Amino acid sequence: MDNVQPKIKHRPFCFSVKGHVKMLRLALTVTSMTFFIIAQAPEPYIVITGFEVTVILFFILLYILRLDRLMKWLFWPLLDIINSLVTTVFMLIVSVLALIPETTPLTVGGGVFALVTAVCCLADGALIYRKLLFNPSGPYQKKPVHEKKEVL
């Protein structure tokens, strides 16, 4: 008799932890940008958050359409980690600049959401780094202790 191995279905990006973190990051950045636009905050705040929204949308579309599997010549997880770190720095700068001076409540709200976005970006980068560190080809699986070889 033939042993038929069922194909392992890949979890869709939208239902993965990485997908949820990216969507949360997108929602927080859009909220921050909206607050900055309504408050008529300085233009760099709006431009930086707008740029981050487009980059996050690009990565979400890339992972939803599974283009990272087609374009193997680029190491997408490394680009994603670099993007997360750069976004963290930019959003920290924007949030500190928005929170330090006494400004309108909407600008302060945008700064608070930018700060939460920076924390979310750190979590996103850590999640991707952890996956790369443990096993770049799939989920991390621990081996039992009794399988270790003894050295004499």
Side-chain angles (χ1 to χ4, degrees), residues 3 6 12-14 27 33 46-47 52 57 61 67 69 79 89 94 97 101 115 119 125 130 135 141 144 147 151:
N3 288 336
F13 175 74
C14 296
M33 183 178 70
I46 299 168
V47 170
E52 295 304 334
L57 271 174
L61 285 174
L67 294 176
R69 304 277 178 175
L79 288 176
V89 170
V94 166
L97 289 176
L115 189 62
V119 172
R130 183 172 161 237
N135 189 358
Q141 296 175 356
E147 287 187 20
V151 180

Side-chain angles (χ1 to χ4, degrees), residues 7-150:
K7 258 189 170 177
I8 299 173
K9 289 187 176 183
H10 184 74
R11 179 186 293 179
F13 175 74
C14 296
F15 299 122
S16 67
V17 175
K18 187 169 76 169
H20 289 309
V21 172
K22 284 237 185 282
M23 304 271 188
L24 176 66
R25 191 173 143 190
L26 177 66
L28 290 170
T29 309
V30 166
T31 306
S32 178
M33 183 178 70
T34 305
F35 278 166
F36 287 144
I37 289 172
I38 293 171
Q40 296 179 351
E43 290 177 5
Y45 300 173
I46 299 168
V47 170
I48 289 173
T49 53
F51 177 73
E52 295 304 334
V53 166
T54 56
V55 171
I56 296 167
L57 271 174
F58 167 75
F59 273 106
I60 288 174
L61 285 174
L62 176 90
Y63 288 131
I64 285 176
L65 299 176
R66 315 241 336 135
L67 294 176
D68 57 328
R69 304 277 178 175
L70 292 175
M71 295 185 277
K72 293 184 178 186
W73 46 272
L74 260 174
F75 192 53
W76 291 106
L78 182 63
L79 288 176
D80 209 353
I81 289 173
I82 291 170
N83 172 24
S84 293
L85 294 177
V86 169
T87 302
T88 302
V89 170
F90 278 140
M91 295 309 272
L92 277 173
I93 292 171
V94 166
S95 66
V96 167
L97 289 176
L99 292 173
I100 285 180
E102 307 252 343
T103 57
T104 65
L106 287 173
T107 306
V108 172
V112 168
F113 275 104
L115 189 62
V116 176
T117 302
V119 172
C120 194
C121 290
L122 273 178
D124 187 26
L127 217 100
I128 298 165
Y129 178 72
R130 183 172 161 237
K131 183 181 183 318
L132 282 177
L133 184 65
F134 288 139
N135 189 358
S137 62
Y140 176 66
Q141 296 175 356
K142 254 185 176 175
K143 293 183 180 179
V145 177
H146 67 279
E147 287 187 20
K148 289 184 179 178
K149 293 182 181 179
E150 292 184 22

